[in-house]
Amino acid sequence: MELRHLTAFLAVAEELHFGRAAKRLQMAQPPLSQQIRQLEKELGVQLFERNTRSVRLTSAGQCFLDPARTVLDDLDSAVLAAKAAGRGEFGRVTVGFAGASSHETLPLLTRAVRAAHPGIELVMAGQTYANVALARVAEGSLDLGFVRLPVNLPGVSTRVIAEETLVCALPSDHRLAQREEIPLAALAEDPFVSFPANAGSSLRDAMVASCETADFHPRVVQEAPDSHTILALVAAGVGVTLTLTSCQHIQQTGLVYRPLAGPPVRLEAALAWRTDNPSAALRTVLAAAEKALPTPIRPSPH
């Protein structure tokens, strides 16, 4: 049995006239009659009672009508679904993000995709560090990752979505807490709290590099795996730290944020994906991200 047999049967069953059914199918009447005979032969039943004046469904034809219509409707739905998926209207995209620093950007993307493309499912995968999301994008286990630049992995594309600045987080009773801005060199003797040294944290790397630019190496007395815990330790008076402007939504009793004196130290947040990822749904999400998370324009230096 072929789909053309079902299509022929449905046309005749709905028109109850071979001539009108043939015209509807844009074919000659003899081949249509032949297809109906082939279908009846395969089923072993007569589907139509026909004479020179009328065509009627037999009881077998009546029973065959709704299931045949369902098969063809389901086929149409499958074709439409496949075409929609090919256009990126349906599908699943896995997204990796690193906790606190994605607090502002991640909801903007998820809301935009949900509103414009409800057929796309975003599967969120929280990572401890942005570099973990990057590694998973590179290996293909994530479609899209919130990462920090620079990214130097072959086959991975990126687009900047935010520019963040290093700020100082201090206990509220710290000797410098009342300053409007903190000279980094003034923290040379202070204990620091930070991410683990072997975790590959871009924020820790930026902190160490900034301190070394100020002629000292930070003395890290406590390490923690995430920004919430690090800032809780700062609030408890364990030490100071450098964090990002995107983490300043974390507010705790005993914790204050202050800008650093001097030229700002900037880190760029970006989206990363495999350049050869064939997913049409990913392309749709990337297009939505262009609107929801446009690349910031850095002011021209004067």
Side-chain angles (χ1 to χ4, degrees):
M1 186 184 304
E2 299 179 24
L3 289 172
R4 62 191 178 96
H5 294 138
L6 295 182
T7 302
F9 166 76
L10 194 61
V12 176
E14 290 176 349
E15 299 290 345
L16 292 178
H17 190 282
F18 275 81
R20 289 195 299 270
K23 185 176 180 179
R24 169 173 150 182
L25 296 173
Q26 298 182 325
M27 63 186 298
Q29 186 172 329
L32 174 60
S33 298
Q34 184 180 11
Q35 288 183 17
I36 295 298
R37 286 194 297 271
Q38 289 171 345
L39 180 60
E40 289 177 324
K41 182 178 180 181
E42 181 163 352
L43 293 174
V45 296
Q46 185 177 347
L47 297 172
F48 297 99
E49 292 178 357
R50 42 203 183 265
N51 55 42
T52 56
R53 294 189 304 274
S54 66
V55 176
R56 292 189 304 164
L57 283 165
T58 64
S59 58
Q62 288 282 3
C63 291
F64 191 61
L65 179 59
D66 283 343
R69 185 178 284 130
T70 298
V71 169
L72 292 174
D73 287 346
D74 286 349
L75 175 62
D76 288 341
S77 297
V79 170
L80 291 174
K83 289 181 176 180
R87 294 191 299 268
E89 296 173 10
F90 290 93
R92 174 181 292 184
V93 176
T94 54
V95 182
F97 65 97
S101 60
S102 301
H103 172 79
E104 296 177 357
T105 52
L106 182 62
L108 292 174
L109 177 62
T110 56
R111 282 197 294 266
V113 172
R114 194 162 52 239
H117 307 285
I120 293 179
E121 179 188 3
L122 293 181
V123 180
M124 313 310 297
Q127 312 294 316
T128 305
Y129 306 113
N131 68 302
V132 176
L134 176 60
R136 292 191 59 193
V137 166
E139 72 185 17
S141 61
L142 285 176
D143 294 310
L144 188 64
F146 283 76
V147 304
R148 297 198 187 285
L149 298 185
V151 170
N152 298 306
L153 288 176
V156 174
S157 297
T158 61
R159 184 178 66 80
V160 175
I161 58 170
E163 187 177 80
E164 303 172 86
T165 304
L166 280 185
V167 294
C168 185
L170 305 161
S172 57
D173 60 356
H174 191 276
R175 67 186 187 283
L176 303 176
Q178 302 307 312
R179 295 264 194 110
E180 289 189 6
E181 56 183 24
I182 307 298
L184 195 48
L187 299 175
E189 301 302 321
D190 280 80
F192 276 73
V193 183
S194 186
F195 292 102
N198 60 355
S201 165
S202 57
L203 177 52
R204 173 154 178 155
D205 291 344
M207 181 189 78
V208 171
S210 298
C211 291
E212 289 180 344
T213 300
D215 294 325
F216 74 97
H217 189 85
R219 180 169 57 90
V220 177
V221 298
Q222 181 75 50
E223 295 179 337
D226 59 83
S227 291
H228 286 90
T229 305
I230 289 170
L231 294 169
L233 291 169
V234 172
V238 174
V240 301
T241 195
L242 300 188
T243 190
L244 294 163
T245 46
S246 61
C247 292
Q248 290 182 111
H249 67 278
I250 301 174
Q251 297 292 332
Q252 300 191 35
T253 302
L255 175 68
V256 296
Y257 299 99
R258 294 291 181 265
L260 294 171
V265 179
R266 295 185 172 93
L267 278 77
E268 291 178 313
L271 292 175
W273 63 96
R274 281 191 63 91
T275 310
D276 62 358
N277 190 323
S279 168
L282 171 62
R283 302 298 157 184
T284 298
V285 170
L286 289 173
E290 290 270 4
K291 297 179 180 179
L293 299 170
T295 299
I297 300 174
R298 181 181 290 187
S300 301
H302 297 292

